[in-house]
C-alpha cells in the first residue's frame, strides 16, 4: 500500500467519524431544544397561573358551579350591554365590570399565545378549558365578549379550548 492510499484511507475514516459526530450533534441539539421548549412552556404556565390568581375575586362570579353569576354579576353585565350611562351605575357595579374586563383580557391573552404559537394549545387547555367553557356557555358573558372582546368571542368556538384535555 502506498503512502497516498494510506493518506486517502485515513482521511476517509476521519471524514466518516466526523459525519457520525455531526449527526449525533444534530440529534442532541434537537433533544435539548425540545427540553428547553418544554421548560419555557412550564415557566410560562407558572407565570400565567400567578396572573390568573390575581383574578380570584372575579372567578367565583363566573364559575358556573358557584351559581353566583345570576345574583351578583348578571345585572352589571346587562347594564353594560345596554350601554347604561355611568351615572346609572353604582360603584360596586363598576368594580364588577372592571374585574370582568380584567378576566376577559387575561383569557384574550391566552388565545393570543396560542394563535402566535407561543404556547401549545394542549398545555393551555389543560389549565384553562373550564374557564373558556364558562364564558362560552353563559349567554350574557358570550354577548359581552362578542361586543367588547370580539377576538376572544371568535376563539370560544375553538373546541380545543373549551373541551377538557384528555391525555392519550
Amino acid at each position: 500500500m502506498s503512502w497516498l492510499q494510506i493518506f486517502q484511507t485515513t482521511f476517509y475514516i476521519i471524514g466518516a467519524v466526523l459525519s457520525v459526530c455531526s449527526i449525533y450533534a444534530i440529534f442532541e441539539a434537537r433533544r435539548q431544544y425540545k427540553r428547553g421548549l418544554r421548560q419555557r412552556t412550564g415557566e410560562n404556565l407558572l407565570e400565567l397561573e400567578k396572573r390568573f390568581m390575581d383574578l380570584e375575586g372575579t372567578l367565583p362570579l363566573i364559575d358556573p358551579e358557584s351559581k353566583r353569576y345570576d345574583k351578583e354579576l348578571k345585572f352589571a353585565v346587562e347594564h353594560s350591554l345596554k350601554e347604561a350611562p355611568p351615572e346609572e351605575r353604582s360603584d360596586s357595579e363598576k368594580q364588577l365590570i372592571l374585574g370582568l374586563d380584567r378576566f376577559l383580557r387575561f383569557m384574550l391573552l391566552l388565545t393570543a399565545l396560542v394563535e402566535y404559537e407561543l404556547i401549545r394549545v394542549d398545555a393551555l387547555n389543560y389549565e384553562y378549558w373550564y374557564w373558556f367553557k364558562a364564558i362560552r356557555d353563559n349567554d350574557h358573558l358570550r354577548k359581552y365578549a362578542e361586543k367588547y372582546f370580539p377576538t376572544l368571542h371568535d376563539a370560544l368556538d375553538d373546541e380545543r379550548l373549551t373541551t377538557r384535555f384528555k391525555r392519550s
Side-chain angles (χ1 to χ4, degrees):
M1 206 180 221
S2 72
W3 284 102
L4 181 61
Q5 289 174 329
I6 293 172
F7 187 70
Q8 285 177 333
T9 304
T10 303
F11 277 97
Y12 285 138
I13 292 171
I14 291 172
V17 168
L18 290 176
S19 294
V20 168
C21 289
S22 295
I23 291 170
Y24 173 77
I26 290 169
F27 283 113
E28 184 63 23
R30 183 172 183 253
R31 187 182 67 77
Q32 287 180 358
Y33 170 77
K34 284 186 167 189
R35 182 177 46 203
L37 184 62
R38 286 190 303 270
Q39 182 177 354
R40 282 190 304 280
T41 298
E43 290 169 357
N44 288 340
L45 286 172
L46 286 172
E47 180 62 32
L48 288 171
E49 191 61 20
K50 287 177 189 173
R51 292 182 183 197
F52 187 69
M53 287 295 111
D54 290 341
L55 303 169
E56 66 186 53
T58 304
L59 297 177
L61 303 177
I62 295 165
D63 186 353
E65 295 297 316
S66 75
K67 306 215 184 313
R68 289 178 56 189
Y69 178 81
D70 287 339
K71 292 184 257 179
E72 299 177 47
L73 188 57
K74 184 177 180 178
F75 183 74
V77 170
E78 286 176 346
H79 248 184
S80 189
L81 287 171
K82 291 177 185 173
E83 297 181 6
E87 56 273 1
E88 289 183 20
R89 298 180 191 192
S90 68
D91 288 341
S92 65
E93 196 176 324
K94 291 174 189 174
Q95 290 302 313
L96 288 171
I97 291 298
L98 285 174
L100 175 61
D101 286 349
R102 282 183 39 226
F103 170 75
L104 293 175
R105 277 193 306 276
F106 177 81
M107 300 306 282
L108 179 61
L109 169 71
L110 296 178
T111 62
L113 291 173
V114 169
E115 179 71 25
Y116 295 109
E117 298 177 354
L118 298 174
I119 198 164
R120 291 177 25 197
V121 71
D122 59 337
L124 186 70
N125 171 287
Y126 187 73
E127 296 285 328
Y128 301 104
W129 71 272
Y130 180 83
W131 299 103
F132 281 108
K133 188 173 180 339
I135 300 166
R136 187 191 68 188
D137 293 349
N138 182 313
D139 291 335
H140 289 103
L141 283 180
R142 192 172 176 105
K143 286 176 189 171
Y144 188 87
E146 181 178 19
K147 184 170 185 172
Y148 297 109
F149 298 88
T151 306
L152 174 61
H153 177 264
D154 294 344
L156 294 173
D157 291 328
D158 186 345
E159 289 294 323
R160 298 174 307 162
L161 293 175
T162 58
T163 305
R164 186 175 194 165
F165 177 76
K166 294 180 181 150
R167 295 201 182 264
S168 50

